[in-house]
Amino acid sequence: MSFRDLRNFTEMMRALGYPRLISMENFRTPNFMLVSEMLLWLCKRYEPHTDVPSDVETEQDRVFFIKAVAQFMATKAHIKLNTKKLYQADGYAVKELLKITSVLYNAMKTKGMETTTVSEEESSKFKFDLGSKIADLKAARQLASEITSRGASLYDLLGKEVELRELRTESIARPLEINETEKVMKIAIKDVLEQVQKTKDMLNNVASDEANLEAKIEKRKLELERNQKRLQTLQSVRPAFMDEYKKIEEELQKQYSSYLEKFRNLAYLEQQLDDHHRLEQERFEEAENTLRLMQNRLKEEEKRLLKSGSNDDSDIEIQEDEGSDSEVEDRQLIKQRTAMEILMQGRPNKRIVGTMQGGDTEDDEESEDSEIDLDDDEDDDEDDIEDDSMEISPSKANRRARKPEPLEESDNDF
C-alpha cells in the first residue's frame, strides 16, 4: 500500500458520495467491518437491485461475502478482484477497492452524476436480464420451434376435418353390438396373456442363461490359467537353438565389420586407381608435347647446320655435310627411340639427360678417321701429318662446340 493509492481512494469515495468519512489511519490495522461496508455500498452503487448477503459475523459468512462480491464484479463489471487481499482488510485491500472506485469515478467524471446513474441502471438491468434469462431464452426458442411444428401439423389435420367428420358421425350413430365387443375383448385378453406367458418364460430362461454364462466364464478362467502357466513354462525354458543363435549372431557381427572394412578399402583403392589413370594421362600428354617440341627443335637445328656449312671449303664442306646429314639422321632416330621409351614406361621421376644433337658414337669416330685419310691422300705434298690434323681439328672443335647442354638446362628454354 502506498500513500498515493490511499489518498486517491479516499478522494474517489468522497466524490462518489460515500456517507462515512474515511481516514488514512483506518487501514493501518485490519478492519473487515469497514471493508465489507464499502464493498456492499459499491455493489449497490454499481447495481442497485443486486442481492449480496450482508451477514459478516462469523468467519464462514465473511468468506461467503467476499466470494459473492468478487463473483458479482467479475460477471457484471468484468473486474477481477483478489479475494485474499480483500479478506485481509488492510492496506492491500485498498488496491482492490481502488479498481471498483476508479471505474465508477471515471464514469461519473465523463458523463456527469445524474446521467451516469441513469445509464448505469439501464445498462446494468439490461446486462442482468441477459445474464439471468439465458436459460429462459433457450427455452423460449425451443417452444417457438415446437409451436411452429405443432401449428403446421394442426393445419394439416384441420384440412382433413371434412372427411373425418362424416366418418365420426357414422361411427357414433352406429349402435354397439355386445357380441362383437365381447369377441374383441377376448382377443385382446388372449394377446395380453400370451405376452405375459412369454415374459414369464423369458424370466425363467434368465436363470438358465445365467448358469450357462457362469459356466462359460469358469471355462474361460480355466483356459486363461492354463495358458498363463504354459507361458511361464515357455519363458523359463531356454530354447535349444539359443546358443547357436548367439554364435551365429556374433559371427554375423564380425563378418559385417570385415565387410565394412573391405568396402572402405575397395573404395579407397578405386579412388587411387582413378588418380593413377589421371596422372598417366597427364604424363602421356606431357610426353607428346615434349616430343613435338624436340622434333621442331631438330628441324631448326638441321636448317641452321645446312646454312652454316655452305661457307667452308668444297671438299671438307661435302664431307662435313655428309657427316652432318648422317649425324642428324642418327640423332633424330635416337631421340625418337628415347621418346617412345618414355611414352611406354610412363615414369616421370626419371630424368632424360642428353643433347639435341646426340653424343659421339662409333660411326662419328669412323667418319672422322675417314676424313683424316681423305685429307692425307689429297695433301701428298705436305710432309707433316700433324699439320693435316691441325686443319681438321677445327671441324671437330666446331662439332664439339655445337653440342647442346643437357636436357635439364634445355627444359628451361621451353
Side-chain angles (χ1 to χ4, degrees), residues 12 44 59 101 112 159 243 252 254 269 275 320 372 396:
M12 288 180 184
K44 293 289 184 181
E59 182 179 354
T101 55
D243 296 333
L252 178 62
K254 292 179 181 179
L269 291 174
D275 295 340
E320 288 181 355
I372 293 168
K396 291 183 179 181

Side-chain angles (χ1 to χ4, degrees), residues 327 357 368 371 395-403:
E327 289 174 1
Q357 295 180 358
E368 290 176 359
E371 289 175 0
S395 64
K396 291 183 179 181
N398 291 329
R399 282 197 297 271
R400 291 173 182 171
R402 292 190 206 116
K403 290 181 180 180

Side-chain angles (χ1 to χ4, degrees), residues 32-229:
F32 191 83
M33 298 303 294
L34 179 61
V35 172
S36 63
E37 184 180 351
M38 286 188 294
L39 284 172
L40 186 61
W41 186 83
L42 290 171
C43 290
K44 293 289 184 181
R45 180 75 176 176
Y46 193 86
E47 177 59 48
H49 301 287
T50 185
D51 187 11
V52 178
S54 60
D55 189 8
V56 291
E57 295 297 330
T58 61
E59 182 179 354
Q60 189 174 4
D61 294 337
R62 292 180 181 183
V63 172
F64 183 73
F65 173 75
I66 293 295
K67 286 183 179 180
V69 171
Q71 186 176 3
F72 172 78
M73 286 297 170
T75 54
K76 301 299 181 182
H78 301 286
I79 298 172
K80 186 177 181 181
L81 300 176
N82 192 342
T83 55
K84 291 182 180 179
K85 292 181 179 179
L86 286 175
Y87 190 79
Q88 289 177 4
D90 54 0
Y92 293 101
V94 175
K95 292 183 179 180
E96 303 299 324
L97 294 171
L98 193 60
K99 296 178 182 179
I100 306 171
T101 55
S102 61
V103 173
L104 296 174
Y105 181 76
N106 291 329
M108 182 189 70
K109 188 177 179 180
T110 54
K111 294 185 179 180
M113 188 67 181
E114 295 178 357
T115 58
T116 304
T117 305
V118 173
S119 63
E120 283 181 357
E121 289 178 357
E122 293 177 356
S123 63
S124 62
K125 287 180 181 179
F126 180 70
K127 290 180 181 178
F128 176 76
D129 293 335
L130 288 177
S132 61
K133 300 295 183 180
I134 290 174
D136 296 338
L137 288 173
K138 291 181 179 179
R141 288 177 182 176
Q142 187 176 1
L143 289 173
S145 61
E146 289 181 0
I147 289 169
T148 305
S149 60
R150 295 287 176 84
S153 61
L154 182 60
Y155 179 78
D156 294 334
L157 292 174
L158 289 174
K160 299 177 182 179
E161 177 62 21
V162 178
E163 298 177 358
L164 295 175
R165 188 183 299 124
E166 295 177 357
L167 296 174
R168 186 170 60 251
T169 54
E170 289 180 358
S171 61
I172 291 171
R174 187 177 63 185
L176 293 174
E177 294 181 359
I178 297 173
N179 295 326
E180 292 182 358
T181 305
E182 186 178 1
K183 185 177 180 181
V184 171
M185 291 298 292
K186 287 181 178 179
I187 292 170
I189 291 169
K190 186 179 181 181
D191 293 335
V192 171
L193 291 174
E194 288 179 356
Q195 290 179 0
V196 171
Q197 188 64 33
K198 287 180 180 179
T199 306
K200 288 181 179 180
D201 294 338
M202 290 175 68
L203 289 174
N204 294 326
N205 292 330
V206 166
S208 61
D209 293 338
E210 185 178 359
N212 293 329
L213 290 173
E214 288 180 357
K216 288 181 180 179
I217 290 170
E218 291 293 332
K219 185 178 180 181
R220 295 294 182 184
K221 285 182 180 179
L222 293 173
E223 289 180 358
L224 179 61
E225 291 177 358
R226 187 166 55 253
N227 291 326
Q228 286 180 353
K229 290 180 180 179

Side-chain angles (χ1 to χ4, degrees), residues 226-236:
R226 187 166 55 253
N227 291 326
Q228 286 180 353
K229 290 180 180 179
R230 185 178 179 185
L231 178 61
Q232 290 177 0
T233 54
L234 290 173
Q235 288 178 353
S236 61

